[in-house]
Amino acid sequence: MQRKLHPLEGIVAVFALFFVLALTIGFAQAGEAKVHKTVYLRSSSALVLDADTGEIVIDKNADAVTPIASITKLMTAMVILDRGLDLDQRIVLSREDADSLKGTRSRLRAGNVLTRGELLLLGLMASENRAAAALGRTYPGGLEPFVAAMNAKAAALDMRDSRFVDPTGLSPANVSSARDLVKLVRAAHEYSVIREFSTKDRATVRVSERGRPLAYHNTNGLVRAHHWEVGLSKTGYISEAGRCLVMRVRLASKDLIVVLLDSWGRQSRIGDANRIKKWVETNASAGSSS
């Protein structure tokens, strides 16, 4: 014969059930608020740093020394600006400015005339190699003292893993580490010209009196994305370096320096940047709700 439950036993059972449900919901919410410790990146080397506090947010092989391709042009720009050269001075492009190392294409031709400021703009925004080469060639004393100034600047910034041999980044002998490039981006961000030129969406320049204006766009499509707030940007690519990207961005109410090196796949560096954005914002949201 089945025993009837005492009224008090029924009440205890109900409270026990509610207690179990409350614990289950609590654990589920805690799991949702848990901060994810890792993020999958296709870049071989990466570093994300809080620009204000110096806190490392993401570190993946940050000390690996690797070719940096056109990230080099940030150093090129700083050397030009440090010397205080006239950005309005008109410069005639030379055959020497053509890429004899990688054979990259350019719409700029020998005999075209641009101001030093226009060359700097095209180098930073559109990663124009002949523009960067012309900047180095026309530096006081020529290319040799220009490269010496690049390495002296790197030493002044305590970039111990870095070495520069040309102003374009076409040579794989231009090398650095993600940890060093954080220092480079931090220093470059202090120059208003570099901030403006490297994040400009597009620009048009006239290279001859009779020729049509040439339209250029930024090699980093994220500067055009409404959900990105990019304060400095530079892309890079040669086969030895893979796809590279450095930025200073505003994410989750923080100013972050992002360095992505040796990323394989045409869109992989942009994919990594978006994964970092989602990861940072998700963790910020989880942290504020926990």
Side-chain angles (χ1 to χ4, degrees), residues 177-244:
S177 64
R179 201 171 304 280
D180 265 10
L181 291 182
V182 163
K183 301 174 184 177
L184 178 66
V185 172
R186 188 190 296 277
H189 189 261
E190 296 297 316
Y191 298 75
S192 60
V193 171
I194 297 179
R195 295 197 303 270
E196 177 188 353
F197 286 3
S198 72
T199 59
K200 198 175 182 66
D201 179 10
R202 62 192 68 218
T204 301
V205 297
R206 186 178 292 276
V207 297
S208 63
E209 292 183 2
R210 297 182 180 181
R212 290 183 177 181
L214 299 179
Y216 289 85
H217 67 274
N218 201 303
T219 54
N220 179 9
L222 296 181
V223 303
R224 295 182 285 277
H226 70 276
H227 57 283
W228 277 89
E229 188 177 344
V230 182
L232 179 144
S233 167
K234 190 70 200 76
T235 62
Y237 172 77
I238 55 174
S239 58
E240 295 89 343
R243 306 280 174 180
C244 304

Side-chain angles (χ1 to χ4, degrees), residues 153-165:
K153 182 71 172 180
L157 295 175
D158 195 32
M159 297 172 62
R160 300 181 182 183
D161 296 328
S162 305
R163 178 171 176 260
F164 297 92
V165 301

